[in-house]
Amino acid sequence: MTGETMTIREMCDMFNVTPRTLRFYEAKELLAPIRQGHKRLFTKRDRARLTLILRGKRFGFSLEEIRQLLELYDADDQQHAQLVRTQEIAAERLAQMIRQREELDDAIADLRRQMDALARMLAAQMSTDHAAE
Amino acid sequence: MTGETMTIREMCDMFNVTPRTLRFYEAKELLAPIRQGHKRLFTKRDRARLTLILRGKRFGFSLEEIRQLLELYDADDQQHAQLVRTQEIAAERLAQMIRQREELDDAIADLRRQMDALARMLAAQMSTDHAAE
DNA sequence: ATCACCCTGACGCGGCGTCACTGTGG
DNA sequence: CCCACAGTGACGCCGCGTCAGGGTGA
């Protein structure tokens, strides 16, 4: 809280994650907080990386894939080749997400059909023996 | 293959799952194949249950939830209360799936924006020093 | 001495994949 | 005798949650 670095608590509050998550990301080499004694101190760099990590997760990348993307991103200069590679990877992910969306739509339509069938069974029951109750 | 029962291979081919999956479902008490010696033989009942299991998975139910639904479904007579309960559970699932779809849509839109930004960076690069290459 | 927070193991879950090894029928 | 298939453990993966137990500073 010297303005520069943050404790684990502050990070958690800022990004809405748990301490366990931050420690896990460190173990997986996604973050690299410095130490004050045995305590972690998260730098601006960690903040930037965590932002990218959480964004990557929303897109459905695995942590290992995210680690590799961060590596690309980390090379001092944004080389042409790296940007192109990133673009390819993103395009693949997008395609998968779109497929996923189609499957989800199908499943939703299917579930609605099942629910309709259920509703019909209930209606049929009502109009027979259970009607007197 | 006496027409009545099927071997694990036949089941796998029919439902497009692996032997490991069928054994796992048995361990979780979702299926209950009979035995011929030490070999499994899957009955018509197993086929019906597996159909429901795979359908449940598409809807995003956990195997444990599916087990409970199969229990309801198994009670000899389709009691009114059971159907109503099933309807409630299905409605909750449907709501979750719809939320999930919204999140997915947001993520897709977000990824597209990121990709646009990337494309602009590449375009900017092209129009400067790398243009000569 | 208490309290609040930090730390480090280590195990658990869900849904299987993947060995390694042992029958068994043809 | 061999091969293809069946079986049973048991461990691995991913992304953490959740203890248990110990340290540290106010």
Side-chain angles (χ1 to χ4, degrees), chain B residues 27-38:
Chain B
K28 293 291 172 180
E29 305 194 293
L30 294 168
L31 298 178
I34 56 177
R35 299 295 177 123
Q36 181 182 40
H38 63 311

Side-chain angles (χ1 to χ4, degrees), chain B residues 43-60:
Chain B
T43 66
K44 197 158 54 173
R45 182 158 183 274
D46 292 312
R47 255 117 64 192
R49 290 174 72 95
L50 185 50
T51 300
L52 293 177
I53 292 167
L54 298 179
R55 186 176 294 161
K57 286 198 54 182
R58 286 192 65 214
F59 297 157

Side-chain angles (χ1 to χ4, degrees), chain A residues 111-128:
Chain A
L111 182 49
R112 284 200 216 274
R113 273 192 292 276
Q114 300 294 328
M115 290 179 69
D116 282 356
L118 247 179
R120 277 193 295 277
M121 288 184 64
L122 275 166
Q125 262 193 6
M126 303 279 252
S127 64
T128 58

Side-chain angles (χ1 to χ4, degrees), chain B residues 69-130:
Chain B
L69 285 170
L70 286 174
E71 245 174 56
L72 280 193
Y73 198 83
D74 248 18
D76 352 53
D77 48 350
Q78 294 300 327
Q79 220 87 34
H80 183 78
Q82 295 165 11
L83 293 181
V84 170
R85 182 72 193 114
T86 303
Q87 212 177 29
E88 291 170 5
I89 294 170
E92 283 173 40
R93 242 314 61 215
L94 180 59
Q96 285 188 40
M97 290 175 78
I98 288 173
R99 253 178 292 155
Q100 212 184 120
R101 186 173 58 185
E102 286 166 9
E103 285 170 31
L104 187 52
D105 276 347
D106 287 356
I108 287 175
D110 203 350
L111 181 49
R112 284 200 215 275
R113 274 192 292 277
Q114 300 293 327
M115 289 178 70
D116 282 356
L118 246 179
R120 277 194 295 277
M121 288 184 64
L122 274 166
Q125 262 193 8
M126 302 279 251
S127 64
T128 58
D129 44 3
H130 288 276

Side-chain angles (χ1 to χ4, degrees), chain A residues 6 9 22 32 36-37 40 42 50 66-67 69 71 73 87 96 100 108 111 115-117:
Chain A
M6 294 173 66
R9 253 291 117 227
L22 295 181
Q36 181 182 37
R40 289 169 178 82
F42 295 84
L50 186 50
I66 292 172
R67 201 185 57 71
L69 285 170
E71 245 174 57
Y73 198 82
Q87 213 176 29
Q96 284 187 41
Q100 211 185 120
I108 287 175
L111 182 49
M115 290 179 69
D116 282 356

Side-chain angles (χ1 to χ4, degrees), chain A residues 10 12-13 25 28 31 103 106 121:
Chain A
E10 291 165 342
C12 290
D13 292 347
Y25 290 171
K28 291 292 171 180
L31 297 177
E103 284 169 31
D106 287 357
M121 288 184 64

